[in-house]
């Protein structure tokens, strides 16, 4: 019973967050529609404005009943009753049976309060999760590293006039300052300016440059990924030292050697600050050395929020490697996936899943819907406040991140009531998150289809949106009506 109460209260906080998002968006809309001035008066102070709404007279000819004090909020709210599995099934079944989803559709819808599935689709077997894998990666990272963890990029003094740029596995290290970026980015231009100041204070204006990316180990390209990902620039090589996630400063695609490119970018920034770099940057491992300068990433909770909101593949892979470093003292794809798995199992995820990367780009990943549901429930458990950034970072249907332009049909009244992580690969679509129905019933869901015909991929995405939207539009309590249409 205690576990049920904890889960119910946590989701209540998530609902409050959704309401806040809606209110904020309403304020933005009012501003853009030029309603603020009309509703709130002009820009100058009006000393004759009544002090409160009760003092505002009605328009001429309109008579209003006298205002009465409202009932206290606590007594006006009645917790919703038990979820009726038959109503949940009736809400989602028509959309999950859509032929556009292909011949392999699995899913689970769980009552958050009870913590167990009320509906299973396709026997609850495993399927390819695509980017819903990021829920596993980010949850494990917050558990192991903590939400306030930061990643440091350093410059240390070496021997024989050399300095060494040491990568700390900062997923969002930038090539130059980005003042408006969120989360905030550390950058090598700022690091170079600090380094130049330290060198000039010692009377040095010429250096040799080395770079150290040894925090992560080879391979830099995951053998569990399709080979065409590399030449087609689907994803960067993953290293502990890069800038702009391995993307070039001009053009598109990915650079061939992200670590070398980061060192070259740093060398150019040193030159711009009056430090001549002799020769080309040399790859190696720093052995100690006095620190000359350092920059730090944003806290992990902000990094995780961005990864989930925009489904950042490179960021997720670096975070997975960081879990491997923290748990197994080895930053590889294999160790990252293995330690994410053992961490989640230690937290109580008992349903089967098998992952080979941190992003979900691997087509070898297999995850059961119940495993996703169990991870989601963890993120809402007050016993694990360090995991709260997951639930609050999930895109909001129709409003934020990868769900901004989705959930517009057939259940527009579910917009704002569903938060979910999306997943998309060729022939694959998935959706996993939190839904609150029209009466406040709180549900967790995971829906996966991985044999979609390519011409039907967009339609399949809409079908999953409709199934999740039906939960938000549903009156799913025992004795209540089925989904509104």
């Amino acid at each position: 019973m205690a576990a049920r109460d904890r889960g119910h209260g946590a989701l209540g906080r998530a609902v409050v967050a959704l309401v806040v998002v809606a209110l904020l968006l309403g304020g933005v809309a009012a501003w853009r529609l030029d309603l603020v001035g009309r509703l709130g008066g002009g820009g100058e102070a009006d000393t004759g404005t009544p002090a409160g709404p009760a003092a505002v007279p009605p328009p001429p000819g309109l008579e209003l009943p006298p205002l009465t004090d409202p009932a206290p909020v606590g007594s006006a709210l009645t917790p919703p009753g038990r979820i009726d599995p038959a109503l949940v099934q009736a809400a989602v079944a028509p959309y999950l049976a859509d032929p556009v989803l292909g011949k392999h559709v699995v899913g689970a819808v769980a009552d958050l309060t009870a913590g167990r599935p009320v509906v299973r689709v396709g026997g609850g077997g495993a399927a390819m999760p695509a980017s819903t894998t990021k829920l596993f990666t980010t949850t494990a990272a917050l558990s192991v590293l903590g939400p306030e963890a930061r990643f440091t990029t350093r410059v240390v003094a070496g021997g024989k006039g050399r300095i060494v740029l040491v990568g700390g596995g900062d997923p969002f290290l930038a090539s130059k300052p980005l003042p408006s970026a969120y989360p905030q980015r550390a950058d090598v231009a700022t690091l170079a300016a600090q380094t130049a100041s330290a060198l000039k204070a010692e009377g040095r204006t010429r250096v040799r440059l080395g770079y150290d990316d040894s925090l992560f180990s080879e391979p830099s390209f995951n053998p569990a990924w399709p080979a065409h990902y590399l030449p087609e620039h689907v994803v960067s090589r993953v290293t502990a030292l890069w800038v702009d996630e391995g993307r070039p400063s001009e053009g598109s695609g990915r650079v061939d050697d992200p670590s070398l490119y980061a060192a070259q970018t740093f060398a150019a920034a040193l030159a711009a600050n009056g430090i001549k770099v002799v020769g080309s940057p040399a790859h190696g491992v720093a052995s100690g050395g006095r620190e000359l300068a350092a920059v730090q990433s944003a806290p992990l909770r902000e990094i995780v929020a961005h990864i989930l909101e925009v489904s950042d593949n490179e960021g997720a892979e670096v975070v997975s490697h960081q879990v491997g470093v923290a748990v197994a003292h080895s930053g590889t794809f294999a160790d990252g996936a293995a330690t994410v798995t053992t961490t989640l199992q230690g937290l109580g995820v008992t349903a089967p899943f098998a992952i080979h990367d941190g992003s979900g780009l691997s087509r070898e990943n297999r995850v059961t819907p119940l495993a996703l549901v169990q991870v989601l429930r963890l993120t809402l458990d007050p016993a694990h406040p360090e995991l709260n950034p997951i639930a609050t970072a999930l895109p909001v249907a129709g409003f934020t991140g990868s769900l901004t332009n989705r959930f517009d049909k057939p259940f527009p009244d579910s917009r704002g009531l569903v938060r979910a992580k999306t997943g998309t690969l060729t022939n694959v679509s998935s959706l996993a998150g939190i839904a609150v129905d029209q009466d406040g019933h709180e549900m967790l869901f995971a829906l996966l289809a991985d044999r979609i015909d390519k011409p039907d991929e967009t339609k399949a995405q809409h079908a999953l949106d409709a199934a999740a939207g039906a939960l938000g539009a549903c009156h799913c309590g025992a004795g209540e009506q089925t989904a509104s249409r």
Side-chain angles (χ1 to χ4, degrees):
M1 182 62 68
R4 295 183 182 183
D5 291 342
R6 286 198 304 268
H8 184 85
L11 205 286
R13 289 194 295 275
V15 175
V16 171
L18 292 178
V19 173
V20 170
V21 168
L23 290 174
L24 289 174
L25 288 169
V28 172
W31 178 267
R32 290 179 176 173
L33 293 171
D34 197 27
L35 297 178
V36 173
R38 301 176 195 172
L39 297 177
E44 297 180 3
D46 182 357
T47 56
T49 300
V56 179
L62 178 63
E63 295 184 4
L64 298 176
L67 291 174
T68 58
D69 292 333
V73 172
S75 64
L77 296 178
T78 301
R82 179 175 56 86
I83 291 175
D84 187 334
L87 292 178
V88 175
Q89 177 74 26
V92 301
Y95 307 100
L96 297 181
D98 193 323
V100 300
L101 288 171
K103 296 181 179 180
H104 190 230
V105 182
V106 297
V109 181
D111 178 346
L112 173 61
T113 305
R116 58 178 178 269
V118 294
V119 169
R120 293 177 188 263
V121 179
M128 207 180 304
S131 280
T132 57
T133 303
K134 294 180 176 73
L135 290 169
F136 293 84
T137 304
T138 52
T139 300
L142 287 170
S143 177
V144 167
L145 301 169
E148 301 305 319
R150 296 174 185 262
F151 308 115
T152 304
T153 307
R154 303 181 299 131
V155 177
V156 299
K160 300 180 180 180
R162 185 181 301 276
I163 62 173
V164 183
L165 174 65
V166 183
D170 178 351
F172 296 151
L173 183 68
S175 57
K176 59 186 178 182
L178 299 170
S180 61
Y182 184 86
Q184 290 185 344
R185 267 64 161 171
D187 69 274
V188 294
T190 299
L191 183 62
Q194 294 176 4
T195 303
S197 295
L199 291 171
K200 290 175 182 178
E202 297 175 357
R204 301 171 62 187
T205 57
R206 289 168 56 92
V207 295
R208 295 185 179 276
L209 176 62
Y211 63 98
D212 178 355
D213 61 0
S214 61
L215 182 66
F216 298 166
S217 303
E218 292 289 343
S220 59
F221 183 81
N222 195 331
W225 287 340
H228 68 85
Y229 281 4
L230 195 59
E232 293 179 7
H233 302 296
V234 172
V235 65
S236 294
R237 290 184 177 274
V238 177
T239 77
L241 175 64
W242 66 16
V243 292
D244 305 332
E245 295 187 294
R247 293 176 172 83
S249 60
E250 297 181 358
S252 59
R254 307 295 197 278
V255 300
D256 293 332
D257 187 337
S259 298
L260 174 60
Y261 183 76
Q264 292 169 334
T265 304
F266 178 70
L270 281 176
N273 282 274
I275 301 296
K276 180 177 177 58
V277 177
V278 180
S280 300
H283 186 235
V285 177
S287 55
R290 174 173 48 87
E291 185 175 288
L292 296 173
V295 291
Q296 284 193 320
S297 72
L300 180 60
R301 55 183 165 77
E302 295 182 7
I303 291 172
V304 160
H306 182 78
I307 288 172
L308 293 176
E309 183 179 12
V310 303
S311 203
D312 189 306
N313 291 320
E314 279 86 1
E317 293 301 339
V318 170
V319 167
S320 177
H321 278 59
Q322 291 284 13
V323 177
V325 170
V327 177
H329 309 292
S330 175
T332 66
F333 288 103
D335 286 315
T339 53
V340 165
T341 298
T342 56
T343 297
L344 294 177
Q345 290 171 339
L347 289 170
V349 178
T350 58
F353 67 96
I355 57 174
H356 300 275
D357 66 2
S359 63
L361 285 172
S362 174
R363 301 186 70 86
E364 297 179 18
N365 294 342
R366 293 295 183 273
V367 166
T368 58
L370 184 55
L372 281 164
V373 165
Q374 289 178 342
V375 169
L376 286 165
R377 192 160 192 263
L378 274 173
T379 70
L380 293 164
D381 188 344
H384 294 286
E386 73 280 5
L387 304 182
N388 288 168
I390 302 292
T392 57
L394 290 176
V396 180
F399 289 103
T400 63
S402 57
L403 291 183
T404 300
N405 298 315
R406 292 171 62 169
F407 282 74
D408 54 340
K409 54 185 179 181
F411 294 116
D413 45 347
S414 70
R415 301 181 77 191
L417 294 176
V418 177
R419 303 188 79 135
K421 180 69 196 77
T422 57
T424 306
L425 289 172
T426 302
N427 311 118
V428 180
S429 191
S430 59
L431 202 62
I434 306 160
V436 182
D437 83 351
Q438 296 294 303
D439 302 302
H441 296 100
E442 303 158 348
M443 291 170 276
L444 305 174
F445 67 89
L447 310 171
L448 305 93
D450 62 0
R451 296 180 192 170
I452 303 167
D453 290 338
K454 190 167 179 58
D456 291 333
E457 287 176 341
T458 299
K459 293 179 181 178
Q461 183 185 90
H462 292 162
L464 291 187
D465 288 355
L471 294 175
C474 185
H475 294 275
C476 285
E480 295 166 359
Q481 297 298 316
T482 192
S484 59
R485 295 179 183 269

